[in-house]
Amino acid sequence: MSLPPTRPHEQQRPDAPTVPIARVEPRTPALGTPALGTPAAAPGGSHAPAHARPAGDTTASTRTVVEATEARVAPRVVGLLVAVLGVVALAYVTRLALGTVWGQELDESALAGTSFGKGTLWKVGEPVLDVVSNSFVVLALGGAILISLLRRRWGLAAQVVVLVAGANLTTQILKHQVLERGHLGVLTERPGNSLPSGHTTVAASVSIALLLVVPRRMRPVVALLGAVYTALTGVSTLVGGWHRPSDVVAALLVVRVWTALVLALTPSTGIDRKAKHTSVGTTVHSTDDADVTMR
């Protein structure tokens, strides 16, 4: 028995749904319910930061440790390299000035040239040299130590003591115990060795010590004043005929070597504190200047 044919408009399409779909009206979430994608509220009403990482994610912390290690190692390597280069330069200057005819003649020409205009220049140079004394070294070093202790930089206090004592002892030992001026037939008004210059060593080492202990915002001024004072001291020794040019250069190299060494071996208590991130959008720099920067 055959079924009656159905009308075209009554035929069911194969892709038509068999179950009617109910219409879903949008509903507003209840008050206090976090929106989709928003971190849930933590106890106490505060929300977790959007950039919070899972507890097992240590990539950022590992990167921070590596960067901090490199920041501590790199300056030490540079300091040791500068110290080695300073020793090489000091040996070269010493050899040239004390052991070669050309070097001795150059020093003697400069020493003889200081006689021209010495009367006028000496009026300025003599007071500068009169400042340098044992009491001056003690007072300057004591002041540098006091500044470092007030800033609670215990390691820095030890650094400046090593710097000033090491540089000045090295100069005196080299000049009186180790080095000798070769007798190469060059006429001189000052027989014997005078290299390195003790006055220049004192001026340079004290200037560097003060530069190391003062806060960062004061370092440009202290660096400028220290450089001017050291230069005046070195030139004054030449004007007074106390030293030759190589003596001043050698003194500066001695201070350079000791400065590089103490910086390369800086203890943790002598390093400036780094900035600390305390909250999202706020960075507190815990340096001596106590700067607070809001992003």
Side-chain angles (χ1 to χ4, degrees), residues 192-224:
N193 176 52
S194 58
L195 182 150
S197 167
H199 283 73
T200 306
T201 302
V202 170
S205 61
V206 168
S207 298
I208 295 295
L210 292 175
L211 178 63
L212 293 178
V213 299
V214 297
R216 290 188 177 184
R217 63 181 179 274
M218 297 178 59
R219 289 175 187 170
V221 176
V222 175
L224 178 60

PDB file of all heavy atoms in Angstrom, residues 192-224:
ATOM      1  N   GLY A 192     119.933  61.629  42.252  1.00  0.00           N
ATOM      2  CA  GLY A 192     119.151  60.645  42.995  1.00  0.00           C
ATOM      3  C   GLY A 192     117.738  60.518  42.442  1.00  0.00           C
ATOM      4  O   GLY A 192     117.302  61.265  41.562  1.00  0.00           O
ATOM      5  N   ASN A 193     117.019  59.552  42.974  1.00  0.00           N
ATOM      6  CA  ASN A 193     115.667  59.277  42.483  1.00  0.00           C
ATOM      7  C   ASN A 193     114.629  60.065  43.266  1.00  0.00           C
ATOM      8  O   ASN A 193     114.689  60.169  44.489  1.00  0.00           O
ATOM      9  CB  ASN A 193     115.364  57.777  42.605  1.00  0.00           C
ATOM     10  CG  ASN A 193     113.937  57.445  42.208  1.00  0.00           C
ATOM     11  OD1 ASN A 193     113.489  57.829  41.128  1.00  0.00           O
ATOM     12  ND2 ASN A 193     113.221  56.754  43.079  1.00  0.00           N
ATOM     13  N   SER A 194     113.647  60.601  42.558  1.00  0.00           N
ATOM     14  CA  SER A 194     112.529  61.307  43.192  1.00  0.00           C
ATOM     15  C   SER A 194     111.181  60.796  42.688  1.00  0.00           C
ATOM     16  O   SER A 194     110.163  61.448  42.855  1.00  0.00           O
ATOM     17  CB  SER A 194     112.642  62.807  42.917  1.00  0.00           C
ATOM     18  OG  SER A 194     112.654  63.064  41.512  1.00  0.00           O
ATOM     19  N   LEU A 195     111.173  59.649  42.076  1.00  0.00           N
ATOM     20  CA  LEU A 195     109.971  59.049  41.480  1.00  0.00           C
ATOM     21  C   LEU A 195     109.449  57.934  42.373  1.00  0.00           C
ATOM     22  O   LEU A 195     110.242  57.056  42.758  1.00  0.00           O
ATOM     23  CB  LEU A 195     110.306  58.535  40.088  1.00  0.00           C
ATOM     24  CG  LEU A 195     109.225  57.900  39.219  1.00  0.00           C
ATOM     25  CD1 LEU A 195     109.520  58.139  37.743  1.00  0.00           C
ATOM     26  CD2 LEU A 195     109.080  56.408  39.469  1.00  0.00           C
ATOM     27  N   PRO A 196     108.156  57.911  42.695  1.00  0.00           N
ATOM     28  CA  PRO A 196     107.045  58.807  42.372  1.00  0.00           C
ATOM     29  C   PRO A 196     106.975  59.999  43.335  1.00  0.00           C
ATOM     30  O   PRO A 196     107.648  60.032  44.360  1.00  0.00           O
ATOM     31  CB  PRO A 196     105.800  57.923  42.538  1.00  0.00           C
ATOM     32  CG  PRO A 196     106.312  56.525  42.683  1.00  0.00           C
ATOM     33  CD  PRO A 196     107.682  56.640  43.266  1.00  0.00           C
ATOM     34  N   SER A 197     106.124  60.959  43.024  1.00  0.00           N
ATOM     35  CA  SER A 197     105.956  62.143  43.854  1.00  0.00           C
ATOM     36  C   SER A 197     105.047  61.838  45.039  1.00  0.00           C
ATOM     37  O   SER A 197     103.900  61.418  44.867  1.00  0.00           O
ATOM     38  CB  SER A 197     105.343  63.284  43.022  1.00  0.00           C
ATOM     39  OG  SER A 197     104.898  64.337  43.855  1.00  0.00           O
ATOM     40  N   GLY A 198     105.562  62.078  46.246  1.00  0.00           N
ATOM     41  CA  GLY A 198     104.769  61.822  47.440  1.00  0.00           C
ATOM     42  C   GLY A 198     103.616  62.795  47.600  1.00  0.00           C
ATOM     43  O   GLY A 198     102.510  62.416  48.007  1.00  0.00           O
ATOM     44  N   HIS A 199     103.848  64.091  47.306  1.00  0.00           N
ATOM     45  CA  HIS A 199     102.790  65.091  47.430  1.00  0.00           C
ATOM     46  C   HIS A 199     101.628  64.804  46.474  1.00  0.00           C
ATOM     47  O   HIS A 199     100.451  64.907  46.855  1.00  0.00           O
ATOM     48  CB  HIS A 199     103.347  66.492  47.159  1.00  0.00           C
ATOM     49  CG  HIS A 199     104.126  67.060  48.289  1.00  0.00           C
ATOM     50  ND1 HIS A 199     105.399  66.610  48.621  1.00  0.00           N
ATOM     51  CD2 HIS A 199     103.829  68.048  49.181  1.00  0.00           C
ATOM     52  CE1 HIS A 199     105.840  67.294  49.657  1.00  0.00           C
ATOM     53  NE2 HIS A 199     104.917  68.165  50.010  1.00  0.00           N
ATOM     54  N   THR A 200     101.956  64.427  45.248  1.00  0.00           N
ATOM     55  CA  THR A 200     100.901  64.120  44.283  1.00  0.00           C
ATOM     56  C   THR A 200     100.135  62.870  44.690  1.00  0.00           C
ATOM     57  O   THR A 200      98.912  62.792  44.507  1.00  0.00           O
ATOM     58  CB  THR A 200     101.505  63.941  42.883  1.00  0.00           C
ATOM     59  OG1 THR A 200     102.291  65.092  42.543  1.00  0.00           O
ATOM     60  CG2 THR A 200     100.427  63.752  41.843  1.00  0.00           C
ATOM     61  N   THR A 201     100.831  61.894  45.242  1.00  0.00           N
ATOM     62  CA  THR A 201     100.159  60.686  45.704  1.00  0.00           C
ATOM     63  C   THR A 201      99.165  60.997  46.809  1.00  0.00           C
ATOM     64  O   THR A 201      98.034  60.489  46.816  1.00  0.00           O
ATOM     65  CB  THR A 201     101.186  59.661  46.200  1.00  0.00           C
ATOM     66  OG1 THR A 201     102.106  59.350  45.145  1.00  0.00           O
ATOM     67  CG2 THR A 201     100.504  58.380  46.651  1.00  0.00           C
ATOM     68  N   VAL A 202      99.564  61.843  47.756  1.00  0.00           N
ATOM     69  CA  VAL A 202      98.655  62.219  48.844  1.00  0.00           C
ATOM     70  C   VAL A 202      97.426  62.929  48.291  1.00  0.00           C
ATOM     71  O   VAL A 202      96.277  62.604  48.640  1.00  0.00           O
ATOM     72  CB  VAL A 202      99.382  63.112  49.863  1.00  0.00           C
ATOM     73  CG1 VAL A 202      98.386  63.710  50.852  1.00  0.00           C
ATOM     74  CG2 VAL A 202     100.436  62.314  50.613  1.00  0.00           C
ATOM     75  N   ALA A 203      97.639  63.909  47.428  1.00  0.00           N
ATOM     76  CA  ALA A 203      96.515  64.678  46.892  1.00  0.00           C
ATOM     77  C   ALA A 203      95.558  63.798  46.106  1.00  0.00           C
ATOM     78  O   ALA A 203      94.325  63.883  46.270  1.00  0.00           O
ATOM     79  CB  ALA A 203      97.039  65.805  46.010  1.00  0.00           C
ATOM     80  N   ALA A 204      96.086  62.932  45.254  1.00  0.00           N
ATOM     81  CA  ALA A 204      95.229  62.088  44.419  1.00  0.00           C
ATOM     82  C   ALA A 204      94.493  61.035  45.245  1.00  0.00           C
ATOM     83  O   ALA A 204      93.297  60.790  45.034  1.00  0.00           O
ATOM     84  CB  ALA A 204      96.068  61.417  43.335  1.00  0.00           C
ATOM     85  N   SER A 205      95.168  60.397  46.185  1.00  0.00           N
ATOM     86  CA  SER A 205      94.530  59.334  46.967  1.00  0.00           C
ATOM     87  C   SER A 205      93.442  59.885  47.875  1.00  0.00           C
ATOM     88  O   SER A 205      92.365  59.281  48.017  1.00  0.00           O
ATOM     89  CB  SER A 205      95.583  58.587  47.796  1.00  0.00           C
ATOM     90  OG  SER A 205      96.237  59.464  48.708  1.00  0.00           O
ATOM     91  N   VAL A 206      93.681  61.041  48.495  1.00  0.00           N
ATOM     92  CA  VAL A 206      92.654  61.656  49.349  1.00  0.00           C
ATOM     93  C   VAL A 206      91.450  62.089  48.512  1.00  0.00           C
ATOM     94  O   VAL A 206      90.291  61.927  48.922  1.00  0.00           O
ATOM     95  CB  VAL A 206      93.252  62.838  50.119  1.00  0.00           C
ATOM     96  CG1 VAL A 206      92.155  63.659  50.782  1.00  0.00           C
ATOM     97  CG2 VAL A 206      94.238  62.344  51.166  1.00  0.00           C
ATOM     98  N   SER A 207      91.701  62.632  47.329  1.00  0.00           N
ATOM     99  CA  SER A 207      90.601  63.062  46.458  1.00  0.00           C
ATOM    100  C   SER A 207      89.741  61.873  46.037  1.00  0.00           C
ATOM    101  O   SER A 207      88.507  61.953  46.036  1.00  0.00           O
ATOM    102  CB  SER A 207      91.159  63.770  45.224  1.00  0.00           C
ATOM    103  OG  SER A 207      91.877  64.933  45.585  1.00  0.00           O
ATOM    104  N   ILE A 208      90.371  60.757  45.691  1.00  0.00           N
ATOM    105  CA  ILE A 208      89.620  59.568  45.300  1.00  0.00           C
ATOM    106  C   ILE A 208      88.853  59.007  46.491  1.00  0.00           C
ATOM    107  O   ILE A 208      87.705  58.541  46.352  1.00  0.00           O
ATOM    108  CB  ILE A 208      90.563  58.508  44.715  1.00  0.00           C
ATOM    109  CG1 ILE A 208      91.184  59.002  43.405  1.00  0.00           C
ATOM    110  CG2 ILE A 208      89.823  57.197  44.472  1.00  0.00           C
ATOM    111  CD1 ILE A 208      90.180  59.212  42.297  1.00  0.00           C
ATOM    112  N   ALA A 209      89.456  59.010  47.666  1.00  0.00           N
ATOM    113  CA  ALA A 209      88.776  58.499  48.855  1.00  0.00           C
ATOM    114  C   ALA A 209      87.494  59.276  49.136  1.00  0.00           C
ATOM    115  O   ALA A 209      86.438  58.694  49.418  1.00  0.00           O
ATOM    116  CB  ALA A 209      89.717  58.558  50.056  1.00  0.00           C
ATOM    117  N   LEU A 210      87.570  60.594  49.065  1.00  0.00           N
ATOM    118  CA  LEU A 210      86.377  61.406  49.287  1.00  0.00           C
ATOM    119  C   LEU A 210      85.339  61.183  48.190  1.00  0.00           C
ATOM    120  O   LEU A 210      84.131  61.192  48.455  1.00  0.00           O
ATOM    121  CB  LEU A 210      86.755  62.878  49.364  1.00  0.00           C
ATOM    122  CG  LEU A 210      87.586  63.292  50.581  1.00  0.00           C
ATOM    123  CD1 LEU A 210      88.000  64.756  50.474  1.00  0.00           C
ATOM    124  CD2 LEU A 210      86.811  63.059  51.872  1.00  0.00           C
ATOM    125  N   LEU A 211      85.789  60.985  46.976  1.00  0.00           N
ATOM    126  CA  LEU A 211      84.867  60.730  45.872  1.00  0.00           C
ATOM    127  C   LEU A 211      84.097  59.426  46.090  1.00  0.00           C
ATOM    128  O   LEU A 211      82.914  59.321  45.750  1.00  0.00           O
ATOM    129  CB  LEU A 211      85.633  60.679  44.554  1.00  0.00           C
ATOM    130  CG  LEU A 211      84.817  60.365  43.293  1.00  0.00           C
ATOM    131  CD1 LEU A 211      83.787  61.454  43.041  1.00  0.00           C
ATOM    132  CD2 LEU A 211      85.742  60.210  42.090  1.00  0.00           C
ATOM    133  N   LEU A 212      84.739  58.434  46.665  1.00  0.00           N
ATOM    134  CA  LEU A 212      84.097  57.139  46.872  1.00  0.00           C
ATOM    135  C   LEU A 212      83.043  57.175  47.972  1.00  0.00           C
ATOM    136  O   LEU A 212      82.042  56.446  47.904  1.00  0.00           O
ATOM    137  CB  LEU A 212      85.147  56.071  47.210  1.00  0.00           C
ATOM    138  CG  LEU A 212      86.130  55.691  46.107  1.00  0.00           C
ATOM    139  CD1 LEU A 212      87.123  54.659  46.618  1.00  0.00           C
ATOM    140  CD2 LEU A 212      85.402  55.158  44.885  1.00  0.00           C
ATOM    141  N   VAL A 213      83.238  57.996  49.004  1.00  0.00           N
ATOM    142  CA  VAL A 213      82.366  57.913  50.177  1.00  0.00           C
ATOM    143  C   VAL A 213      81.161  58.848  50.107  1.00  0.00           C
ATOM    144  O   VAL A 213      80.178  58.624  50.817  1.00  0.00           O
ATOM    145  CB  VAL A 213      83.163  58.209  51.463  1.00  0.00           C
ATOM    146  CG1 VAL A 213      84.268  57.188  51.642  1.00  0.00           C
ATOM    147  CG2 VAL A 213      83.727  59.618  51.472  1.00  0.00           C
ATOM    148  N   VAL A 214      81.212  59.891  49.302  1.00  0.00           N
ATOM    149  CA  VAL A 214      80.094  60.839  49.284  1.00  0.00           C
ATOM    150  C   VAL A 214      78.925  60.248  48.504  1.00  0.00           C
ATOM    151  O   VAL A 214      79.104  59.359  47.670  1.00  0.00           O
ATOM    152  CB  VAL A 214      80.525  62.179  48.654  1.00  0.00           C
ATOM    153  CG1 VAL A 214      81.613  62.835  49.485  1.00  0.00           C
ATOM    154  CG2 VAL A 214      80.981  61.984  47.212  1.00  0.00           C
ATOM    155  N   PRO A 215      77.689  60.709  48.765  1.00  0.00           N
ATOM    156  CA  PRO A 215      76.529  60.242  47.995  1.00  0.00           C
ATOM    157  C   PRO A 215      76.663  60.580  46.520  1.00  0.00           C
ATOM    158  O   PRO A 215      77.428  61.458  46.131  1.00  0.00           O
ATOM    159  CB  PRO A 215      75.356  60.999  48.640  1.00  0.00           C
ATOM    160  CG  PRO A 215      75.830  61.356  50.002  1.00  0.00           C
ATOM    161  CD  PRO A 215      77.303  61.593  49.881  1.00  0.00           C
ATOM    162  N   ARG A 216      75.895  59.886  45.719  1.00  0.00           N
ATOM    163  CA  ARG A 216      76.011  60.036  44.264  1.00  0.00           C
ATOM    164  C   ARG A 216      75.761  61.455  43.787  1.00  0.00           C
ATOM    165  O   ARG A 216      76.404  61.926  42.852  1.00  0.00           O
ATOM    166  CB  ARG A 216      75.031  59.078  43.570  1.00  0.00           C
ATOM    167  CG  ARG A 216      75.418  57.611  43.688  1.00  0.00           C
ATOM    168  CD  ARG A 216      74.528  56.756  42.824  1.00  0.00           C
ATOM    169  NE  ARG A 216      74.932  55.360  42.870  1.00  0.00           N
ATOM    170  CZ  ARG A 216      74.367  54.405  42.131  1.00  0.00           C
ATOM    171  NH1 ARG A 216      73.384  54.709  41.324  1.00  0.00           N
ATOM    172  NH2 ARG A 216      74.781  53.160  42.225  1.00  0.00           N
ATOM    173  N   ARG A 217      74.788  62.137  44.367  1.00  0.00           N
ATOM    174  CA  ARG A 217      74.453  63.465  43.882  1.00  0.00           C
ATOM    175  C   ARG A 217      75.576  64.469  44.106  1.00  0.00           C
ATOM    176  O   ARG A 217      75.603  65.523  43.471  1.00  0.00           O
ATOM    177  CB  ARG A 217      73.176  63.955  44.570  1.00  0.00           C
ATOM    178  CG  ARG A 217      73.299  64.108  46.072  1.00  0.00           C
ATOM    179  CD  ARG A 217      71.982  64.586  46.692  1.00  0.00           C
ATOM    180  NE  ARG A 217      72.070  64.713  48.137  1.00  0.00           N
ATOM    181  CZ  ARG A 217      71.861  63.738  48.986  1.00  0.00           C
ATOM    182  NH1 ARG A 217      71.544  62.523  48.518  1.00  0.00           N
ATOM    183  NH2 ARG A 217      71.951  63.927  50.291  1.00  0.00           N
ATOM    184  N   MET A 218      76.517  64.140  45.005  1.00  0.00           N
ATOM    185  CA  MET A 218      77.625  65.044  45.298  1.00  0.00           C
ATOM    186  C   MET A 218      78.893  64.682  44.537  1.00  0.00           C
ATOM    187  O   MET A 218      79.864  65.445  44.555  1.00  0.00           O
ATOM    188  CB  MET A 218      77.920  65.038  46.799  1.00  0.00           C
ATOM    189  CG  MET A 218      76.783  65.544  47.670  1.00  0.00           C
ATOM    190  SD  MET A 218      77.199  65.438  49.432  1.00  0.00           S
ATOM    191  CE  MET A 218      78.667  66.481  49.478  1.00  0.00           C
ATOM    192  N   ARG A 219      78.914  63.554  43.880  1.00  0.00           N
ATOM    193  CA  ARG A 219      80.149  63.089  43.251  1.00  0.00           C
ATOM    194  C   ARG A 219      80.651  63.970  42.113  1.00  0.00           C
ATOM    195  O   ARG A 219      81.867  64.137  41.974  1.00  0.00           O
ATOM    196  CB  ARG A 219      79.966  61.640  42.774  1.00  0.00           C
ATOM    197  CG  ARG A 219      79.897  60.650  43.924  1.00  0.00           C
ATOM    198  CD  ARG A 219      79.595  59.251  43.476  1.00  0.00           C
ATOM    199  NE  ARG A 219      79.374  58.377  44.627  1.00  0.00           N
ATOM    200  CZ  ARG A 219      78.908  57.133  44.544  1.00  0.00           C
ATOM    201  NH1 ARG A 219      78.618  56.618  43.358  1.00  0.00           N
ATOM    202  NH2 ARG A 219      78.713  56.423  45.637  1.00  0.00           N
ATOM    203  N   PRO A 220      79.810  64.527  41.252  1.00  0.00           N
ATOM    204  CA  PRO A 220      80.353  65.409  40.207  1.00  0.00           C
ATOM    205  C   PRO A 220      81.143  66.579  40.771  1.00  0.00           C
ATOM    206  O   PRO A 220      82.224  66.913  40.270  1.00  0.00           O
ATOM    207  CB  PRO A 220      79.097  65.862  39.456  1.00  0.00           C
ATOM    208  CG  PRO A 220      78.107  64.783  39.673  1.00  0.00           C
ATOM    209  CD  PRO A 220      78.357  64.290  41.056  1.00  0.00           C
ATOM    210  N   VAL A 221      80.617  67.216  41.821  1.00  0.00           N
ATOM    211  CA  VAL A 221      81.318  68.361  42.416  1.00  0.00           C
ATOM    212  C   VAL A 221      82.616  67.911  43.078  1.00  0.00           C
ATOM    213  O   VAL A 221      83.675  68.550  42.924  1.00  0.00           O
ATOM    214  CB  VAL A 221      80.403  69.069  43.437  1.00  0.00           C
ATOM    215  CG1 VAL A 221      81.142  70.200  44.127  1.00  0.00           C
ATOM    216  CG2 VAL A 221      79.142  69.583  42.747  1.00  0.00           C
ATOM    217  N   VAL A 222      82.558  66.806  43.836  1.00  0.00           N
ATOM    218  CA  VAL A 222      83.754  66.310  44.523  1.00  0.00           C
ATOM    219  C   VAL A 222      84.809  65.868  43.509  1.00  0.00           C
ATOM    220  O   VAL A 222      86.006  66.102  43.708  1.00  0.00           O
ATOM    221  CB  VAL A 222      83.385  65.158  45.468  1.00  0.00           C
ATOM    222  CG1 VAL A 222      84.634  64.542  46.088  1.00  0.00           C
ATOM    223  CG2 VAL A 222      82.450  65.648  46.572  1.00  0.00           C
ATOM    224  N   ALA A 223      84.372  65.256  42.419  1.00  0.00           N
ATOM    225  CA  ALA A 223      85.324  64.833  41.380  1.00  0.00           C
ATOM    226  C   ALA A 223      86.027  66.029  40.759  1.00  0.00           C
ATOM    227  O   ALA A 223      87.254  66.003  40.531  1.00  0.00           O
ATOM    228  CB  ALA A 223      84.603  64.028  40.306  1.00  0.00           C
ATOM    229  N   LEU A 224      85.276  67.099  40.488  1.00  0.00           N
ATOM    230  CA  LEU A 224      85.875  68.298  39.886  1.00  0.00           C
ATOM    231  C   LEU A 224      86.862  68.949  40.854  1.00  0.00           C
ATOM    232  O   LEU A 224      87.995  69.295  40.464  1.00  0.00           O
ATOM    233  CB  LEU A 224      84.776  69.280  39.507  1.00  0.00           C
ATOM    234  CG  LEU A 224      85.234  70.609  38.909  1.00  0.00           C
ATOM    235  CD1 LEU A 224      86.022  70.375  37.626  1.00  0.00           C
ATOM    236  CD2 LEU A 224      84.032  71.519  38.653  1.00  0.00           C
TER     237      LEU A 224
END
